[in-house]
């Protein structure tokens, strides 16, 4: 199927039938996932700092944590 063979009116009518409540729910999930991923990275960084023997003050001075 070629992109030129798609009927634009048919595609428009299909998009008008979509349930927009699902889209709203999906938009909130990435923000939560991003926060969770950021928290996991921060925890892992703090573990690595602890394992290396650095203090938090030294890690801040080196720019490892903010």
């Amino acid at each position: 199927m070629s992109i030129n063979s798609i009927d634009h009116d048919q595609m428009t009518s299909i998009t008008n039938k979509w349930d927009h409540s699902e889209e709203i729910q999906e938009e909130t999930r990435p923000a939560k996932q991003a926060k969770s991923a950021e928290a996991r990275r921060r925890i892992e960084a703090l573990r690595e700092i602890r394992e290396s023997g650095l203090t938090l003050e030294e890690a801040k001075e080196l720019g490892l944590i903010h």
Side-chain angles (χ1 to χ4, degrees):
M1 173 183 270
S2 165
I3 190 75
N4 295 328
S5 65
I6 296 175
D7 182 16
H8 188 275
D9 293 331
Q10 182 183 13
M11 291 300 291
T12 303
S13 67
I14 290 172
T15 59
N16 290 335
K17 294 178 184 176
W18 287 349
D19 185 11
H20 295 289
S21 63
E22 291 177 8
E23 291 178 13
I24 293 170
Q25 290 174 352
E26 290 176 7
E27 289 175 3
T28 59
R29 288 182 191 154
K32 289 181 182 179
Q33 289 175 344
K35 288 181 181 179
S36 295
E38 184 178 331
R40 283 192 301 271
R41 286 191 294 270
R42 183 165 172 79
I43 290 168
E44 184 62 30
L46 290 172
R47 283 184 185 148
E48 290 175 0
I49 290 168
R50 183 178 61 198
E51 290 171 0
S52 71
L54 291 174
T55 64
L56 290 178
E57 291 80 23
E58 292 170 332
K60 287 179 183 178
E61 289 174 7
L62 293 171
L64 299 175
I65 57 175
H66 304 288

